[in-house]
Amino acid sequence: MARWGMVIDLKRCIGCYSCVIICKQDHFLPPDMFWNRLVIGETGEYPQVTKHVYPVLCNHCKEAPCVKGCPSGAMIKRDDGIVAVDSDKCVGCTYCVIACPYQQPVFHASNSAAYFAGQGLTELEVIGKELYPIQPGTVVKCNFCAERIDEGLCIGLKPGADRVATPSCVNNCPAKARIFGDLDDPNSRISVLVRQRKGFQLHPEFGTDPSVYYIS
Amino acid sequence: MQPYEWMAQDTPQKLWIDGKGVLVWFAEVFGALGGGLYVVSLYFNSLEGMFISWLVVVTLKCGFHFAHLGRPFRVWRLALKPRTSWLARGFIFLALFIGFGAVQLAISLWLPGTAWEVVFKVATGIMAILVAAYTGFVMNYVNGIPFWNSAVLPLLFVSFGVLGGLAVITVIAVLGAHVDIRAVVAGIRLLLVVNALLMVTYLWSATYMGPTGKRSVEELVRGYLAPVLWGGVVLCGIVIPFGIVSFYHFVGVATVPLLIVVACVMIGVFSLNYCLLKGALYRPLIPTST
């Protein structure tokens, strides 16, 4: 079985927020919710300042604290390494949000938020609520576009190589800074990149073994 | 904190203290208080105390947790993963405490002096300690918040819970229950010293949890949370009650100052939990200068 993972090339990333926007658009995320974000900071002091731009998303950790901490079994780890939430089982205790050291799960309190406050939902938002319903009172998070991967695999496509079966943020990165593939396959492009360019994970000391690697 | 500083710098934990999160704060306090009061009531063999502690856990602790859940009618699902989740274990401890406690209270009321009473008192007592302590383990598991990564945390919850329990039983004693008030006061005096030591140990150990843990302590000691720590936890929760109970150790017990002690201890317990939740900071995701 594959273990899906992602490599983000920090040298290529231009901090354009495409991944953030396309993720919101594809999943019809409400205004206050982000599954992809950019974390931007700096180190050093003027004139020796280094700017850091890190695109972050759910790390789909091998030892996911959210999965272990979830008391209801709603947070699940699939065989292919994707950490997903079963909204029908989620109690909304928000412990997964607290337990995630990367702060990626999001609690969706209510469906009332709209992009144009006081003017009702747009046609797109209405369609979105039908196509990608999010249960209020539950936790949601990035699922590596599992629906695209599953559908792609059903018709014999290869995630990471075929666009249809690849997460939207990877497809829509204009700088091609994101690479998706199978971490368990030593010959996959992402495994080679991790090996050759010394890929690193965020906070490996937490022992979570994230499936998202960064190269710089 | 500005939105662009999110996880680029030490990021405060807000979900369990701001907005609807205050319900978690109340639930934690009443869990510690309920558990602590049961243990104290067991020691002083006060049926009234046991009943009140059971009531506190059933109505306040469970009520606040229930109100906080996004999907409260799926609450039974909280018990499904005790093998890995401290929250699930806590839910089971709560359910067992409520079940055992109800049976024990019924036996104590209608069949006092039987062996079953002892059995259920012991079982409920163990569950009471676990109800008070499990929150500490729930928080301790969160490795993104160095401030909570201390083995002292569960002890702190139990210790402050028992102190709160002693305060409540003081009121019960003043209202006329058969409780040795001098023993209660001696217990409060001892617990105040123990809690002060535990607090210092906890804060001191948190400063060794990296820069984020150190910043949490700094916020508490001399940051925006300092009034709550020094005014609520130290002054109201420890210094004033200790002064009063020490004074009355020499001149005898009086009711009014004892009720001041009770009020101060309660403020201390609430303030401590507030500090623990509000002072929690997540480690930044990216390299920082600090």
Side-chain angles (χ1 to χ4, degrees):
Chain A
M1 194 64 177
R3 180 189 167 201
W4 302 119
M6 193 180 286
V7 167
I8 299 176
D9 190 340
L10 297 176
K11 271 189 179 163
R12 279 174 171 260
C13 178
I14 53 172
C16 66
Y17 291 88
S18 288
C19 46
V20 179
I21 301 300
I22 195 65
C23 179
K24 278 183 83 73
Q25 204 173 17
D26 250 34
H27 299 104
F28 299 96
L29 299 183
D32 51 351
M33 189 186 292
F34 295 90
W35 289 356
N36 258 288
R37 292 176 188 243
L38 287 191
V39 179
I40 302 172
E42 56 188 38
T43 51
E45 279 183 21
Y46 177 82
Q48 300 291 324
V49 178
T50 309
K51 186 177 181 183
H52 303 277
V53 179
Y54 280 68
V56 293
L57 66 161
C58 173
N59 282 291
H60 297 275
C61 308
K62 199 170 184 179
E63 302 294 332
C66 57
V67 176
K68 286 185 179 171
C70 174
S72 68
M75 196 66 83
I76 48 167
K77 182 150 192 68
R78 306 190 338 171
D79 292 341
D80 58 4
I82 293 177
V83 176
V85 191
D86 185 342
S87 293
D88 291 332
K89 293 180 181 173
C90 181
V91 186
C93 66
T94 65
Y95 188 48
C96 51
V97 186
I98 295 284
C100 175
Y102 309 103
Q103 284 294 281
Q104 291 306 315
V106 189
F107 179 65
H108 179 56
S110 79
N111 268 338
S112 59
Y115 277 93
F116 301 96
Q119 297 180 45
L121 299 177
T122 61
E123 208 172 315
L124 187 73
E125 285 175 278
V126 174
I127 294 168
K129 286 190 190 303
E130 284 172 22
L131 289 177
Y132 218 98
I134 300 174
Q135 284 189 34
T138 62
V139 169
V140 282
K141 58 178 270 305
C142 158
N143 60 356
F144 261 172
C145 292
E147 64 283 350
R148 294 172 71 92
I149 294 172
D150 294 343
E151 283 173 23
L153 285 171
C154 281
I155 54 173
L157 300 177
K158 191 177 174 189
D162 297 301
R163 285 178 65 86
V164 178
T166 303
S168 294
C169 56
V170 178
N171 287 338
N172 288 280
C173 178
K176 300 209 179 302
R178 292 185 179 222
I179 303 101
F180 189 77
D182 181 5
L183 282 169
D184 277 353
D185 176 4
N187 299 317
S188 68
R189 194 170 158 222
I190 71 162
S191 295
V192 172
L193 276 172
V194 168
R195 214 166 39 241
Q196 287 182 347
R197 292 183 56 190
K198 296 187 174 63
F200 62 91
Q201 301 154 312
L202 291 179
H203 289 303
E205 71 276 12
F206 290 150
T208 53
D209 193 3
S211 299
V212 175
Y213 282 80
Y214 294 83
I215 51 177
S216 56
Chain B
M1 158 162 267
Q2 300 300 321
Y4 53 80
E5 291 173 330
W6 180 85
M7 293 309 268
Q9 295 179 10
D10 296 329
T11 303
Q13 179 284 122
K14 291 181 175 175
L15 202 61
W16 277 9
I17 191 66
D18 288 355
K20 203 181 170 188
V22 292
L23 298 173
V24 176
W25 171 36
F26 294 145
E28 285 190 2
V29 171
F30 288 117
L33 274 180
L37 177 57
Y38 190 88
V39 174
V40 170
S41 307
L42 213 55
Y43 180 78
F44 289 106
N45 201 21
S46 163
L47 198 57
E48 299 92 335
M50 292 175 204
F51 179 66
I52 290 170
S53 77
W54 186 83
L55 218 53
V56 164
V57 172
V58 171
T59 56
L60 297 172
K61 163 85 172 160
C62 294
F64 283 120
H65 272 314
F66 191 75
H68 177 256
L69 293 179
R71 290 272 169 172
F73 294 105
R74 295 176 188 167
V75 67
W76 58 273
R77 295 201 67 91
L78 284 173
L80 293 186
K81 278 183 62 191
R83 240 162 33 92
T84 59
S85 172
W86 267 107
L87 214 60
R89 289 170 199 161
F91 182 80
I92 292 168
F93 298 152
L94 265 175
L96 290 177
F97 174 80
I98 292 168
F100 288 162
V103 176
Q104 179 263 310
L105 286 169
I107 292 175
S108 296
L109 210 58
W110 291 301
L111 294 168
T114 59
W116 283 111
E117 188 187 14
V118 179
V119 169
F120 276 98
K121 273 183 175 172
V122 171
T124 317
I126 292 168
M127 288 306 138
I129 294 169
L130 292 172
V131 164
Y134 90 89
T135 318
F137 290 108
V138 165
M139 289 160 72
N140 184 258
Y141 172 78
V142 182
N143 55 10
I145 300 176
F147 185 54
W148 289 351
N149 294 159
S150 171
V152 183
L153 199 54
L155 270 178
L156 207 60
F157 272 95
V158 174
S159 178
F160 267 83
V162 173
L163 178 64
L166 283 167
V168 177
I169 213 153
T170 308
V171 179
I172 296 170
V174 168
L175 292 175
H178 295 293
V179 176
D180 181 2
I181 196 93
R182 287 188 181 277
V184 175
V185 171
I188 289 176
R189 197 165 45 238
L190 177 70
L191 253 293
L192 285 169
V193 176
V194 171
N195 284 358
L197 289 174
L198 277 176
M199 270 273 306
V200 171
T201 310
Y202 180 76
L203 292 176
W204 177 72
S205 64
T207 59
Y208 289 92
M209 300 285 181
T212 308
K214 198 171 182 176
R215 209 188 132 202
S216 286
V217 178
E218 280 171 1
E219 291 290 359
L220 284 172
V221 175
R222 50 174 180 262
Y224 74 105
L225 287 169
V228 186
L229 181 79
W230 294 112
V233 183
V234 178
L235 192 65
C236 275
I238 294 170
V239 176
I240 294 175
F242 189 75
I244 294 174
V245 292
S246 299
F247 180 69
Y248 280 93
H249 175 66
F250 300 107
V251 297
V253 176
T255 304
V256 176
L258 263 186
L259 293 179
I260 295 171
V261 168
V262 171
C264 285
V265 165
M266 285 300 165
I267 292 170
V269 174
F270 273 89
S271 303
L272 175 88
N273 273 270
Y274 184 82
C275 287
L276 290 175
L277 291 168
K278 195 73 179 172
L281 296 169
Y282 283 96
R283 284 175 63 179
L285 289 180
I286 62 174
T288 53
S289 294
T290 50

